[in-house]
Amino acid sequence: MFEIAVDVGGTFADFVVREQQGRTYTAKVPSSLDDPLQPMLRGLSELAHRFGLSLPDFLGQTEKFIHGTTVGINALLQGQGVKTALITTEGFRDALELRRSRLAEQWNFRQALPPVLVPRFLRLGLQERMDYRGVSIKAVDSVQVKEIAAFLQREEVEAVAVCLLFACRNSEHEIEFKERLQALLPDLFITLSSELSSQLGEYERTTTTVLNARLSPVLSHYLQDLRTHLRDQGLRVPISIAQNNGGLTDLEQASRRAVHSLFSGPAGGVKGGWALAREQGLSELVVADMGGTSFDVSLIRQGEMEMTPQAEIAGYPVQLPMLDIHTVGAGGGSIAWLDKGGMLRVGPQSAGAKPGPICYGLGGQEPTITDAALIMGLLDSSDFLGGRMPLDAQLAYQAIETKIARPLGLSVHEAAYAIYQVALSLMIDAVYLMTVKKGYDPRSFALAAVGGALPLFATALAAGAGIQRVEVPELAPVFCAQGLHHARFQFEVLRSVFEELGKVPNPQWYDLFAEMQHQVDQELTRLGVKSEQRRYVWSADLKYPDQHHELNITLSGDLKDLAVWQQLKKEFHQTHQKLYGYSQPEKPLELVNLRLLALEKEELSSEWKAQGAMFKDPSMNDDAAKNSIPRIKQRSIYWRGSLQTMKVYPWQGLEVGGCIEGPALIQKEYTTILVEEHCQAKIDPAGNLSIIIGKDGRKNECQNG
């Protein structure tokens, strides 16, 4: 039996298949923005062929299928989505356009703002009103609901976002409006803010709800097509979809809540980092993932994944808890260009999968990081993607010469190295932002270098950030897909309270606790998670009076126990002191939100630890594998201002415990690892490559390890 995890990114689709015996197999194929199903079927067919099975037989023997998708985020970035209307409380329809007063670049008053998500004529005010406590002041006008339905039908609106004032305190009016409108227009997709993001923050709540309304029908159409195609090809198990928070949900929930899966692929990488940290006994880990389009950074701290209560995507706030991932436009396909002042820049624009980097020979016209790496000699033009995609070095050379080297008065090799260095500086800044800017010492972290492109930058990135150890997982090129194997079902509910946290909790909160517990249990039951497999995490968003931001603090113990709430206050003051350099324990605290996260218990099996990370080609027996190991080669590399000869080691030829001293390249299917001078690399028993970042005068790990 097989377990399949698929991460379809902006440039490549990655596949990781686990056999019942624990062995793991991989595939990687180019993505397609025009037809997202095409790479899915192509990759699955390739894997089936390697097992000597037809696709129906392969899928028929599959017992688990997990999918991370970029369909939603791609639709958002490309300005796509269905025609959407917004229903707000009368007098508040322009909140979506007024936004906040903050600018991404504080002093750039000419900065273009992202387009308004809903044009004004499709933003409708509903005659109803709740006060700030959630008490109904004016009921929903049933006559107006009929008028709105007629208008929506005339305008051929496909989705409606409903975000009424203070619905986060009382959802009755939103629910009533939805029921009345759905009775009149049963095929209309309707999303409620109270079902999606039930917390204070009118603008953030509105954008989140509108994004969900625009994107959910798009994602739903893709998921239904995917289910139909895979069922026709023999799949008999449900498809699980990865969410932004690192958990899973089913197709039904994902189709209605597209905003929950905008970052489902990168979330798989963070989940993989969590598993790697446990496997290696690392409590602090920077997970750095460089694919074809972007460079993503996240942290594992004290063995746990870091979360953020909301994020900004394409300039729009999304008011949902998600894994804390910082993204910059520095992927292998990121374009190198000169600005108006003649300064070299890299990204955020990307060549994507098609046309891709110029060296792909698919019609690309702009030089990219991949083109630069090829000119530097870091990539083998005849062995890219295991030899299935030969690269054209001449095309890359000509483009870098014309567009970068000549204007800057550099040689082509110097220009390529400059592109590498600019990209590297963007990555170092991103790691600095996620560590030093948050008060963490990067020297206490190890670096997980994952994604197809990052191992070329890993040792330089670690040295630049002050990190002394790099882990390159055995499945680094398909790490996000591997991480999806560790994901489990989870569901979170939130209630806005916005009351002073007194000496004892308000007795009315006990009913709230029970209501939240019932809601998460109901959802986990629907997902098939048994009661003994569940784990619950309560937390609270707290702030000082007049503060505009909250801190999330975990609640431990019986919520009716006074000591639990006293400990909550103590931890809030300690956390505030650590993050901001001061605390005010003499002040009262305001409880803004209560959160309950329900998770399916997750553990690393000994089978996965022992052999799950070891890759084996199913079409090759052991004798053939031994005979196929190529010998050590040498290649001319342009590095630090001169051409150097570096040894190139095949990954398959590395023995557990054997040590490689830099400078050297380690070539693997789908990726290449650069081990710089004074660095030493070893393969550990789990099949991962550990690199110690050395310095002049430091002991030689190869001799002393």
Side-chain angles (χ1 to χ4, degrees), residues 212-230:
N212 193 68
R214 279 174 57 98
L215 301 176
S216 289
V218 176
L219 181 61
S220 176
H221 179 74
Y222 164 74
L223 293 177
Q224 299 310 317
D225 279 355
L226 176 66
R227 176 164 58 183
T228 299
H229 278 75
L230 294 185

Side-chain angles (χ1 to χ4, degrees), residues 267-309:
V270 185
K271 197 69 178 181
W274 168 85
L276 178 68
R278 293 198 172 193
E279 177 187 292
Q280 299 289 1
L282 300 170
S283 62
E284 312 288 304
L285 184 68
V286 175
V287 183
D289 180 0
M290 183 181 182
T293 306
S294 65
F295 172 73
D296 303 322
V297 184
S298 56
L299 300 182
I300 306 298
R301 291 200 63 249
Q302 299 178 353
E304 298 297 332
M305 301 176 291
E306 291 230 309
M307 304 289 294
T308 182

